[in-house]
Amino acid sequence: MINPTSWLEVDLDKISENVKNIKKYLGSTRLLAVVKANAYGHGLYPVASCAVESGADFLGVSSIEEGIFLRKKGISQPLLVFNTILPEQAADVLDYGLTATVCSLDVVQALNEVAARQNKKATIHVKIDTGFGRFGALPDHAAEMIRLIISNFDNIYLEGIYTHFSKANNEKITYKQFNAFMSLVETLNEQGIEIPIKHVCNSVAALNYPEMHLDMVRVGNLIYGMVPSKEIAITNPSKICSRVIFLKNLPKGHYIGYGNKYKTKKPTTIAVVPFGYFDGLEVYVFQPNGFLDGLKYLIKQVLFRFGIYSSSRKANINGASCYILGKISMQNCIVDVTKIKNNVFVGDVVELSARRLNLSQSIVRIYHRAGRVFSENDITPAETASDFAPPAGQRRETSIG
Ligand SMILES: *Cc1c(COP(=O)(O)O)cnc(C)c1O
């Protein structure tokens, strides 16, 4: 029986609904479900298998390792690896039937050699850098590269061509990238080259520019309910939970946390929650991008000094929104429960608004699917998730120290 103090609860039924609703919205356009980064923190295999069951045509991962992991788990859907590979990884691509992103000819050469030896074809998508400044061939070089790939490498199947938007919420920038991509496609068409799967959209672009859907869209954030949508019914499938493990009354004028960053202004009841920055609770990192960002950061710091916090420093306990006080520790945070001190007990569940993406791998993931509850490896099915919280009315009357 699992009895964790902190866990991520993922409702796979909701992920499934999100995927199905996105599919419906897309019509005949293929859906590539992005499951990189441990499915944005939700757990790679459970989400990938759920997405496939719910109609995802492709899956997208960043690394060869993620792709191999999913193949070993039995996922047979096309798997596009976004990062370009090293030439020595060519054998992995073929052994595990992955689809490689290609930005240069040396990788094509390596894939072709291995494929020829095995009498197979390596499936590739060529990536075009239309403005992101990361992976991809620049549009000016791409037409020639693609022509060479098609004419010189018999064991390569050029299935796709794609680009990635750097600022999809900006129409002008996105159209500039899209037009660069489409003019390359046109140049190729003029040379008699038609590539089956052309794709450019991430979540935000898929919502904002239906005219850019082309043959496939690559959707991550939307599946996880991380971007709002008027067009598609999307729900948040997960919540980050921990529990109160200690309660205490502090007098006025008592410091809280490392660095003495917070001092109580009145008698304060605190709850210690075993969830800190190691687990994924954000600490502010001073990384301003320009003057406005710097100013925002400064204002936040000043408000923080006066005890006014942004929403990311809130924790929900028994329906009340409570502030996290002082500096967050490595594996703990301290929550002000003064306003609910008569209705908070050791063992109570705390919902945190940490970023799921930052959630430590060590936090247990608990899944709900079609009335069943199970953990990541499906080893220990628990009866219900509410087992983790002592039922209301039977809570231990722990004295506040
Ligand atoms: C992460 C990623 C996506 C998904 O972006 P979202 O904004 O989460 O939809 C799409 N394409 C590529 C290449 C990516 O790396």
Side-chain angles (χ1 to χ4, degrees):
M1 156 91 190
I2 308 164
N3 205 358
T5 41
S6 300
W7 67 97
L8 176 76
E9 208 164 312
V10 183
D11 189 338
L12 290 173
D13 291 338
K14 286 186 180 163
I15 289 192
S16 174
E17 275 308 301
N18 289 349
V19 170
K20 284 179 183 165
N21 290 338
I22 295 164
K23 276 286 284 185
K24 219 177 291 162
Y25 168 76
L26 291 175
S28 60
T29 300
R30 293 176 188 82
L31 171 64
L32 178 149
V34 181
V35 293
K36 69 186 181 192
N38 199 25
Y40 290 45
H42 294 77
L44 184 49
Y45 174 67
V47 172
S49 56
C50 173
V52 168
E53 271 173 46
S54 312
D57 304 282
F58 269 67
L59 293 173
V61 292
S62 288
S63 67
I64 290 264
E65 290 89 329
E66 291 168 318
I68 293 174
F69 176 82
L70 288 177
R71 283 285 183 258
K72 284 186 170 167
K73 287 276 191 182
I75 297 276
S76 58
Q77 215 71 359
L79 264 167
L80 177 62
V81 178
F82 295 145
N83 289 356
T84 190
I85 62 158
L86 294 166
E88 60 263 38
Q89 292 172 319
D92 289 334
V93 169
L94 281 137
D95 290 349
Y96 292 96
L98 306 174
T99 303
T101 291
V102 157
C103 314
S104 59
L105 281 175
D106 54 342
V107 170
V108 179
Q109 177 84 45
L111 285 166
N112 191 64
E113 268 173 35
V114 178
R117 243 182 280 139
Q118 301 184 7
N119 206 11
K120 287 194 213 162
K121 280 199 180 219
T123 304
I124 65 165
H125 286 212
V126 170
K127 189 155 191 186
I128 312 301
D129 183 359
T130 55
F132 197 109
R134 193 176 55 182
F135 294 118
L138 292 172
D140 287 350
H141 306 152
E144 176 65 5
M145 189 175 94
I146 288 169
R147 209 184 47 71
L148 282 172
I149 292 172
I150 289 174
S151 55
N152 292 4
F153 300 98
D154 292 340
N155 294 77
I156 296 288
Y157 171 48
L158 206 177
E159 178 189 56
I161 179 172
Y162 74 108
T163 192
H164 193 41
F165 295 139
S166 58
K167 203 172 179 180
N169 54 6
N170 182 308
E171 189 169 333
K172 204 172 147 213
I173 293 172
T174 304
Y175 256 100
K176 197 167 163 227
Q177 287 192 253
F178 181 64
N179 291 338
F181 183 81
M182 292 314 286
S183 90
L184 171 65
V185 168
E186 208 168 291
T187 305
L188 292 171
N189 285 347
E190 281 162 11
Q191 299 176 16
I193 299 170
E194 171 69 59
I195 298 174
I197 306 181
K198 299 170 282 296
H199 48 110
V200 297
C201 287
N202 61 0
S203 293
V204 171
L207 290 174
N208 289 358
Y209 321 105
E211 66 277 19
M212 297 186 191
H213 286 178
L214 305 181
D215 306 302
M216 181 160 83
V217 299
R218 308 181 304 269
V219 171
N221 274 305
L222 204 51
I223 290 174
Y224 308 102
M226 289 170 168
V227 284
S229 163
K230 286 193 293 288
E231 295 85 351
I232 313 173
I234 293 290
T235 48
N236 175 0
S238 62
K239 52 184 182 185
I240 296 171
C241 299
S242 189
R243 297 173 74 179
V244 173
I245 58 170
F246 185 59
L247 286 163
K248 182 160 67 181
N249 287 324
L250 288 177
K252 178 184 170 185
H254 198 289
Y255 284 117
I256 286 180
Y258 283 115
N260 292 6
K261 296 287 187 203
Y262 185 89
K263 195 177 190 177
T264 57
K265 288 157 200 70
K266 53 180 179 15
T268 301
T269 306
I270 58 155
V272 181
V273 177
F275 198 98
Y277 63 79
F278 168 74
D279 305 296
L281 208 52
E282 260 166 287
V283 281
Y284 299 117
V285 183
F286 186 45
Q287 229 181 18
N289 174 18
F291 175 73
L292 273 180
D293 256 18
L295 194 65
K296 248 197 271 176
Y297 175 82
L298 271 174
I299 291 170
K300 264 189 186 170
Q301 286 297 302
V302 171
L303 291 176
F304 181 74
R305 271 317 292 191
F306 287 98
I308 302 162
Y309 302 119
S310 71
S311 59
S312 66
R313 292 192 62 99
K314 277 182 182 167
N316 197 300
I317 307 180
N318 300 332
S321 185
C322 303
Y323 279 115
I324 296 168
L325 300 176
K327 244 185 155 167
I328 291 159
S329 312
M330 222 179 265
Q331 293 186 291
N332 287 295
C333 63
I334 301 153
V335 182
D336 183 353
V337 291
T338 311
K339 66 179 175 189
I340 53 164
K341 66 178 175 195
N342 297 321
N343 183 35
V344 59
F345 300 93
V346 164
D348 282 356
V349 172
V350 180
E351 200 182 324
L352 294 157
S353 51
R355 283 185 84 198
R356 289 164 266 167
L357 201 49
N358 291 351
L359 201 66
S360 163
Q361 199 92 28
S362 64
I363 297 290
V364 177
R365 271 75 172 165
I366 305 290
Y367 297 96
H368 296 246
R369 181 86 164 119
R372 280 183 63 232
V373 182
F374 53 95
S375 72
E376 198 144 10
N377 303 315
D378 208 2
I379 325 164
T380 323
E383 285 103 46
T384 69
S386 62
D387 285 351
F388 298 123
Q394 292 178 19
R395 292 182 301 198
R396 279 154 288 189
E397 294 292 324
T398 314
S399 59
I400 295 178

